[in-house]
Amino acid sequence: MCGIVAALGKTNVVPFLIQGLKHLEYRGYDSAGLAILNDTNASSGVPTINRVRAVGRVAELKAASQGLEANLGIAHTRWATHGAVTQDNAHPHYSSGQGLEICLVHNGIIENHQALRAELSKAGYCFTSQTDTEVVAHLLHQERLKATSLIEALHTCCEKLQGAYAIAVLSSQDPQQVAAARLGAPLLVGLGRNDHELFLASDASALLELTQQFIYLEDGDRCLIARQDKSSSVSPTNAVQTDGLVVKLKLFSRHFEPVEREVTQSSLRAQDVALGPYRHFMQKEIAEQPGALAATLEHVIGASSLSPELFGVEAAKELQSIDQLLILACGTSFHAGLVAKYWVEELTGISCHVEIASEYRYRKSVTRPNTLVVAISQSGETADTLAAIEHAKANGVSSCLAICNVAESSLIRACGLRFLTRAGPEIGVASTKAFTTQLAALFLLALVLGKLKGRLTTEDESRQLQALRHLPAAVSSVLLQEERFCEWASQFVDKNHCLFLGRGLHYPIALEGALKLKEISYIHAEAYAAGELKHGPLALVDRDMPVVAVAPNDQLLEKLKSNLEEVRARGGRLYVIADQSSGFEASEGVELITLGDHAGLLSPILHVVPLQLLAYHVALARGHDVDKPRNLAKSVTVE
């Protein structure tokens, strides 16, 4: 969702701010803005804030900010929550009066903004936007007039906020400072390669060209980056000197007590988030899936057996007593959980429930004592999933496993057991390689649990390990058929609706295929278990509604064939993705693409790749912005 970048440097930071926002475009946004603080105004001789905002892309903000220079600034990309997409609603938001200017950027949602707005209006503050963020700007202005420092004012302000936030703020009374705070929304500090630079960002990818050293703020942390004369009596922490000045970083806990946080050396490089030879990040990330799967499975590809320690040093003890799984996730990750339900129950005999995280936390649920909660998230910052984990813990669950792609994420820190999928940065909003690596991780979990429960024989373990070793090569073979799916895409360009069908283990893959198509092509798509056709969706089938069928050569194949004949009898056009020896043939009204041999339980990982390719090429043919689909954001950090 929204992105934050802030910088304090010796030279002009405006190019850094623009560059950082460009790297955050993948998160989804509809407007952008920046604010800089110059030490003195030429006419008045006092510090002044300059603010520029633009509806649309960062490129428009860059054009509007030409000529601006300052060594201190904040910037933001907004994904609209409160209020329409307008310049007035764009960040940064501003408050002034009594010789004080405050300007801030904010990610998250302030749940008590209406009550605060009423109080501030009575106090004489005028609102020019519909946003919850402007409330924070005025509240902080009010607190700074009373406080002895900017960081103290921000702490007091945050104590009055309910909801989630990552905030970075400038104050004309504090011309060499940026204050920041986070609760429920990610924020990190970047330690500049040069001694005179410090940065803030909501995502490390914004700063990879500037630094690989980061401090990830904990929930409730307050942060101050500032410059002062080195002769000052104040003794800053994490201080470096330059030209008679000290650049300092001070961190405080939610209780406003000084704290220290670990400095993390990121393994990511700027080229890891570069587009390279591809047209879009989604295309790049689809193509990267064999490598992502190989990296995720690295610890088992060369192993002769599976170890519970894949999921943490305490995993063997905790997993041994498990008699139920509860999987919590949203969107694409939820579909991964649905596939895992089939695997877990078949391989372990353990009951497995899959819940949409945003629904689970708002209902009274029954949780058995020996339940393992598995939380799945690409970013590890999905607000609903994090809240669902806390809800599960409040219900007495003690064992939590995170399956995530980001080592420094909030989800990883919230769970005692964890598995990093190692897919590498995923920039495209429509998830691809994160999904297939999540599936690989969940399959490993099912195998490990099956082994611990005595349900997986040595022969079965060896056979499944061999299948996993072959998986990257099998996905590579599927990718070789991309041109065929490009041909199919031309037949979807003028369609308004599409139906996806699957059975058993592949029904969740049909759900994922429908989600991908609607996300980036804007074609209305639905998915059904094929056996449900006669219970409603068959009424929709006609020659103008393509029907995509996932047809592996498994025990349900003949049942699926019968379901598809029902479609043909109603004049529907079928697009079938089948395995070798499935018995399907292309004919009038039936388009067929055949993959390799049936991959057994791993078949869903192979069969989802064609659906990703189909969605990509349909969106491309329809002329859409594949990586930044309308109304959507990559990391959903608000409820």
Side-chain angles (χ1 to χ4, degrees), residues 527-547:
Y528 272 85
E532 288 292 292
L533 268 174
K534 293 185 291 293
H535 298 283
L538 199 57
L540 298 173
V541 172
D542 61 23
R543 68 182 64 189
D544 294 320
M545 185 183 220
V547 177

Side-chain angles (χ1 to χ4, degrees), residues 89 222 317 350 353 381 482 495 518 537 539 611 614:
N89 288 332
R222 285 72 161 109
K317 179 181 178 182
I350 296 173
H353 303 276
E381 303 295 347
E482 180 172 3
K495 305 302 182 186
K518 72 180 77 168
L611 303 184
L614 178 63

Side-chain angles (χ1 to χ4, degrees), residues 300-375:
V300 301
I301 283 178
S304 58
S305 64
L306 292 164
S307 168
E309 290 188 358
L310 287 167
F311 301 95
V313 292
E314 299 294 324
K317 179 181 178 182
E318 291 198 39
L319 296 181
Q320 185 70 56
S321 61
I322 293 303
D323 58 17
Q324 178 175 273
L325 258 68
L326 171 61
I327 298 177
L328 302 173
C330 300
T332 285
S333 297
F334 173 70
H335 295 158
L338 291 176
V339 175
K341 176 180 173 66
Y342 287 89
W343 286 335
V344 167
E345 295 192 344
E346 177 168 341
L347 292 170
T348 73
I350 296 173
S351 173
C352 181
H353 303 276
V354 188
E355 298 246 14
I356 298 171
S358 59
E359 292 294 314
Y360 167 75
R361 59 184 290 208
Y362 290 116
R363 71 176 185 83
K364 292 183 179 180
S365 55
V366 178
T367 305
R368 287 160 59 175
N370 295 327
T371 296
L372 173 68
V373 170
V374 181

Side-chain angles (χ1 to χ4, degrees), residues 7 73 89 111 119 143 161 190 204 250 263 276-277 316 403 434 465 486 560 588 595 628 637:
N89 288 332
E111 295 175 356
E119 292 175 10
E143 296 300 332
L161 302 178
K250 283 194 170 184
V263 177
I403 293 179
L465 281 171
C486 185
L560 178 65
E588 181 65 29
L595 308 182
K628 294 185 277 292
T637 56

